[in-house]
Structures are given as C-alpha cells and as structure tokens.
Amino acid sequence: MEVTPMKKYVAEAFGTFVLTLFGCGSAAVAGATLGTLGIAMAFGLSIIAMAFVIGNVSGCHINPAVSFGLFLDKRLSGKDLIGYWIAQFIGGIVAAAVLALIISMCDLGGVLATGLGCDGYEAASAVGISLVGALIVEVVLTCIFVLSVLGSTADERTAPYAGIIIGLTLAFVHIMGIPLTGTSVNPARSFGPALMMAFNGDMTALSQVWVFIVAPLAGAALAALVWMGLKQKAEK
C-alpha cells in the first residue's frame, strides 16, 4: 500500500478525532461514574486501538507534541510536521463538536455543565493548581509520555508493542494529571474542547489553553533532549 502524505494526514485527523471523542467524552459524560482511573484508561485504550488501525499509515502520533518530539529526533520532516499538526487540530476540533452535539441531545445539563473534558488551572482545576504548577505538570508529564514514544519506537525489539506501551504510559500520566490539570499532554485534544466551550459562552478554557499548547511542546522538546543524551550514552 502506497502511503501518500494526504493518507497520513487523514489518518492523523481520524486518530486524533477518536482520542478526543472517547477520552474527553468519557470525562464529560461518565466522569463521575468512571473516576480518574476510568478516564485515564479511556485515553490510553484510544491510543492502543488507533496504533493498530493507523500505525502503519501515519505512525499514529495523534498528538502535536509527539510529532514535535519525532521531528526534533529527525524522524519526521518539517513538511510532515506542519501537515500532521493541521490534521491533528482539525481532528480535535471536529471531535469536540461531535461531543458537544451528543451532549446537547442528552439530559446532562448541557455543554457548559459537562465541561467537555477541558483542561485548566486555578479555579478550573479540581485541586486549584496554580499557573506555574500547571506549566510544570504538563511539561513533566508530556516529557515522560513522549519519551515512551521515542524509546519504544526506536528499537525493533519493542516496536511491535509500541502501541501498548505508549497507551499504558498515556493512561498512567493521566492518573496523576487528571486531578491537577485535567491532563493535556496533547495540544489538539485541549484546543478542540476549549474552542467548543467558547462557542457555548464559556471563555475560561480557551483563555487558558495556551498553557496546554506551550507546555506540552516544551515537554516534547525536553524529551527529545533527554532521548538524545540516552542514545549517546548507549552508543558509547
């Protein structure tokens, strides 16, 4: 099968759509029932499922931070980085719109009551984490997550299991991060719901979403730097 750039971009949009719809949807629709562990597993299982669906097409990044980390590790071209980013944000926005539509047809109190799985800090955080705290948390969690991607996909011995490794890592960073910030580690997953909340009259998430774009990208850059150091030591 010839994989054209457009096929890769469509795959990334679809994968990000699935991750955002099911991850954020689980938080918005059934968060009270599932709890932190259940929501974390919804995000992690979404990655595992998509890895086996689109992994051979696009690599299943479905996250601008992951694409950035692979770009810095010279495994993704600048052209594909931009294409992946556009596709991922489109996927996240469409997923959030579909989720908002589904919620509007349920007896859940509406979009504003459910929150659409948005991330946040201070009053928008379950534990009232500060802006600086949110930045630190997102950088650290994203760094760990992107390292799992860089490491598991670099070795042919672990590559066949990379989807499972990455999905479980996403789940465990969510377990810590959900009470703190809601856990982004993915700018596209954060931007879509924030935009839909703004369309429905609540600007809080959109005004804070820059944190969940900047910090994950910084975390990905840190992961690439750490990975570079680990590779050099291994080669020696």
Side-chain angles (χ1 to χ4, degrees), residues 193-211:
L195 185 63
M196 288 304 113
M197 287 294 285
F199 281 158
N200 284 273
D202 187 344
M203 297 295 296
T204 302
L206 192 61
S207 69
Q208 296 185 353
V209 77
W210 69 270
V211 169

Side-chain angles (χ1 to χ4, degrees), residues 148-165:
S148 78
V149 177
L150 295 174
S152 64
T153 58
D155 191 323
E156 61 182 16
R157 293 171 297 181
T158 56
Y161 315 104
I164 297 172
I165 295 167

Side-chain angles (χ1 to χ4, degrees), residues 96-108:
V98 171
L99 178 57
L101 177 62
I102 292 171
I103 288 172
S104 72
M105 295 185 285
C106 301
D107 186 19
L108 292 169

